[in-house]
């Protein structure tokens, strides 16, 4: 689970950094970020039967790493 949390953190950091430097392309960056996060959520649901609330908690926990 820690690996997925670190991956979420990595994607979040990449999105925030890219959004900071290219404000005109924010919609495209957000779409890419949402796709990556959604893919992780679906994988966790499929492999570990994690529900939406647990995934949200994992995203919050990822921000502490």
């Amino acid at each position: 689970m820690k690996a997925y949390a670190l991956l979420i953190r990595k994607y979040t950091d990449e999105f925030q950094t890219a959004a900071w430097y290219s404000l005109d392309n924010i919609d495209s960056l957000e779409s890419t970020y949402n796709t990556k996060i959604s893919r992780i959520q679906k994988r966790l649901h499929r492999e570990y039967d994690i529900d939406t609330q647990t995934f949200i908690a994992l995203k919050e926990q990822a921000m502490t790493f």
Side-chain angles (χ1 to χ4, degrees):
M1 221 34 80
K2 185 175 181 178
Y4 287 110
L6 290 172
L7 190 57
I8 291 168
R9 177 61 190 246
K10 177 183 179 244
Y11 289 157
T12 302
D13 288 346
E14 286 175 355
F15 169 68
Q16 290 176 343
T17 302
W20 179 258
Y21 288 110
S22 62
L23 295 175
D24 351 336
N25 199 12
I26 194 86
D27 292 332
S28 174
L29 294 171
E30 187 175 16
S31 175
T32 303
Y33 170 76
N34 288 334
T35 301
K36 289 177 178 180
I37 295 299
S38 178
R39 199 176 319 145
I40 293 173
Q41 184 177 11
K42 288 176 185 174
R43 183 180 302 155
L44 288 172
H45 179 69
R46 184 178 62 243
E47 293 179 7
Y48 300 105
D49 198 31
I50 293 204
D51 62 357
T52 303
Q53 294 294 26
T54 307
F55 183 73
I56 291 170
L58 180 63
K59 279 177 59 177
E60 291 175 2
Q61 183 67 33
M63 295 304 115
T64 64
F65 290 128

